[in-house]
């Protein structure tokens, strides 16, 4: 394959996504140290993380509108720059209230990237599923490196130093993206912003049955992803009695599998269909989360835990087929703001995953909390099967 500009664009968009994810995922392995320093519960930090993901979700639709108005390159650079600044502010937080505020700022800044970058890449490639799969893999790449590094730095120098990993990655990526990605022309530079936020047109798009159905699938996936990204290391550490270092290593394994399967599931969805591929990921989720709970309760051994983590990694690659399904349903003119709108819708609903699982862990234990995720994956699988077997046409 000859290397072309579109491949440079894909690589740098993926790196930019990685930078925004490093900043957010560096927090998860540091949760026990953060709760200890501020004297708060898992539910409180879970609320902060849910606030971060909620802000991330709410930024998706405005980012699409801004991309149409000012061009994708400018918005992506803003996202990476805001990620660096917010990470620095989180590391300097003097109290839990300030910490919570700046985690929300981080979510809002980082949230400007994904929808705009996906729309930008859809203009460059015909095989949308494969391109989206590679781009989404930027998150798991961050997950592979960020948790163990954050845990290592946090154990030696404190959690604040671990948070600064977000700054260390975002700054050079910002410079590289600004250097190598060409300025992009805005799609709708002259359209009034208020027209893009008209409630009637937004409601019409979201109420289309295929869009509504796909949003429900994505919500279930997002709920599980948010909870896993926030609490899998703590579940392994506290709920399964593994060491902090081993828990961080298994969290990296989760992201390694997650990242490795994203391009694969994207390619499979191009070839065999979005729904068939999504059913495979949801099935892996039912098995993976169920096995995680069983290994913690019955002490089935490290091998079973590793297998469960790998299955969960496959499960969370639902994004490539489901997001490609959205792009199939949207016209070229709708993809900018439209994809951002549906991303906001399902991620706002899915952002509750962190606080729900964090609260359940405090009230009923980690087994119940992660058992809920197995149930959510089972519901997603049942929804896909019903559409296929009953010929619902969604």
């Amino acid at each position: 394959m000859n290397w072309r500009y579109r491949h440079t664009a894909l690589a740098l968009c993926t790196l930019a996504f990685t930078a925004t994810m490093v900043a957010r995922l560096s927090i998860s392995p540091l949760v026990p140290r953060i709760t200890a320093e501020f004297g708060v519960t898992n539910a409180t930090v879970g609320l902060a993380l849910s606030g971060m993901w909620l802000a991330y979700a709410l930024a998706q639709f405005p980012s699409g509108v801004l991309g149409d108005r000012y061009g994708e390159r400018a918005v992506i650079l803003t996202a990476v720059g805001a990620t660096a600044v917010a990470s620095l502010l989180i590391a300097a937080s003097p109290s839990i209230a300030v910490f919570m505020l700046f985690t929300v700022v981080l979510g809002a800044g980082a949230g400007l990237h994904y929808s705009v970058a996906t729309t930008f890449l859809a203009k460059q490639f015909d095989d949308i599923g494969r391109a989206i799969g590679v781009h989404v893999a930027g998150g798991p790449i961050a997950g592979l490196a960020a948790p163990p590094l954050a845990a290592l730095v946090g154990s030696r120098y404190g959690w604040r130093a671990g948070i600064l990993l977000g700054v260390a990655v975002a700054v050079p990526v910002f410079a590289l993206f600004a250097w190598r990605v060409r300025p992009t022309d805005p799609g709708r530079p002259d359209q009034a912003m208020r027209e893009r936020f008209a409630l009637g047109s937004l409601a019409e798009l979201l109420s289309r049955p295929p869009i509504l159905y796909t949003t429900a699938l994505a919500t279930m996936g997002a709920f599980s992803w948010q909870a896993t990204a926030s609490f899998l290391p703590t579940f392994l550490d506290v709920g399964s009695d593994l060491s902090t270092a081993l828990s961080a290593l298994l969290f990296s394994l989760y992201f390694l599998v997650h990242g490795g399967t994203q391009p694969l599931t994207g390619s499979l969805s191009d070839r065999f269909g979005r729904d068939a591929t999504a059913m495979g990921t949801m099935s892996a989720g039912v098995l993976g989360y169920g096995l995680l709970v069983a290994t913690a309760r019955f002490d089935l051994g490290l091998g079973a835990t590793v297998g469960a983590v790998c299955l969960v990694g496959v499960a969370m690659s639902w994004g490539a087929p489901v997001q490609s399904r959205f792009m199939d349903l949207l016209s070229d003119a709708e993809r900018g703001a439209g994809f951002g709108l549906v991303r906001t819708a399902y991620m706002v609903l899915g952002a509750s995953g962190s606080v729900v699982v964090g609260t359940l862990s405090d009230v009923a234990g980690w087994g119940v909390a992660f058992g809920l995720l197995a149930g959510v994956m089972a519901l997603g699988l049942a929804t896909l099967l019903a559409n296929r077997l009953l010929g619902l046409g969604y």
Side-chain angles (χ1 to χ4, degrees):
M1 180 182 66
N2 294 325
W3 190 268
R4 301 176 182 175
Y5 171 72
R6 64 180 182 178
H7 302 126
T8 298
L10 176 58
L12 292 177
C13 283
T14 302
L15 279 178
F17 187 40
T18 299
T20 65
M21 287 296 292
V22 164
R24 285 171 286 153
L25 295 177
S26 293
I27 300 174
S28 295
L30 301 171
V31 166
R33 296 180 182 276
I34 294 168
T35 57
E37 175 165 333
F38 291 126
V40 295
T41 64
N42 287 327
T44 300
V45 178
L47 180 61
L49 293 173
S50 281
M52 178 182 71
W53 292 112
L54 179 61
Y56 180 83
L58 291 173
Q60 302 297 309
F61 174 51
S63 75
V65 175
L66 291 171
D68 286 341
R69 183 66 180 271
Y70 300 108
E72 294 94 349
R73 179 179 180 270
V75 177
I76 294 171
L77 285 172
T78 300
V80 178
T83 296
V85 172
S87 296
L88 183 62
L89 293 173
I90 291 171
S93 298
S95 67
I96 187 63
V98 176
F99 172 88
M100 295 174 75
L101 172 64
F102 289 137
T103 56
V104 172
V105 172
L106 172 62
L112 295 175
H113 168 81
Y114 190 86
S115 296
V116 172
T118 301
T119 303
F120 173 55
L121 293 173
K123 298 176 182 178
Q124 314 295 323
F125 290 89
D126 295 326
D127 296 331
I128 297 175
R130 179 179 297 177
I132 289 177
V134 172
H135 182 223
V136 174
I141 290 170
L144 176 63
L149 284 175
L152 177 62
V153 173
S155 66
R156 292 189 177 184
Y157 304 107
W159 68 266
R160 297 177 190 276
I163 296 294
L164 290 177
L165 287 175
V167 181
V169 175
V171 169
V173 170
F174 179 93
L176 188 60
F177 196 95
W179 176 40
R180 298 299 298 171
V181 174
R182 303 166 188 165
T184 53
D185 294 327
R188 301 183 182 186
D190 300 321
Q191 185 174 13
M193 297 288 281
R194 63 179 177 273
E195 294 180 10
R196 306 305 306 279
F197 290 94
L199 293 179
S201 60
L202 302 182
E204 185 279 325
L205 189 150
L206 286 176
S207 64
R208 297 175 194 171
I211 293 288
L212 191 61
Y213 171 85
T214 310
T215 301
L217 288 176
T219 297
M220 288 180 263
F223 181 96
S224 301
W225 193 96
Q226 308 284 10
T228 303
S230 297
F231 287 115
L232 180 58
T234 309
F235 171 85
L236 296 170
D237 187 351
V238 179
S240 299
D241 293 326
L242 300 179
S243 69
T244 301
L246 181 56
S247 297
L249 185 62
L250 289 174
F251 195 38
S252 292
L253 175 63
Y254 155 72
F255 277 109
L256 177 64
V257 175
H258 182 20
T261 54
Q262 286 282 9
L264 176 62
T265 55
S267 295
L268 289 175
S269 74
D270 285 336
R271 184 171 182 180
F272 299 109
R274 315 302 188 196
D275 288 8
T277 308
M279 280 190 281
T281 64
M282 298 291 181
S283 299
V286 175
L287 294 174
Y289 288 114
L291 186 56
L292 271 180
V293 173
T295 56
R297 182 173 182 180
F298 300 110
D299 192 21
L300 300 180
L302 182 59
T305 303
V306 170
V309 169
C310 290
L311 284 170
V312 170
V314 174
M316 292 301 99
S317 65
W318 61 268
V322 175
Q323 291 173 19
S324 298
R325 198 181 202 276
F326 278 123
M327 300 304 277
D328 294 341
L329 295 171
L330 296 168
S331 67
D332 290 343
E334 293 174 326
R335 283 178 173 177
F339 184 59
L341 178 62
V342 295
R343 284 266 296 174
T344 288
Y346 76 72
M347 292 191 73
V348 164
L349 297 172
S352 62
S354 296
V355 69
V356 168
V357 168
T359 301
L360 271 179
S361 71
D362 288 332
V363 174
W366 286 107
V368 174
F370 269 63
L372 173 66
L373 300 181
V376 171
M377 290 287 96
L379 180 59
L381 177 60
T383 302
L384 286 160
L385 286 172
N387 185 46
R388 171 161 293 196
L389 295 178
L390 299 179
L392 301 178
Y394 297 142

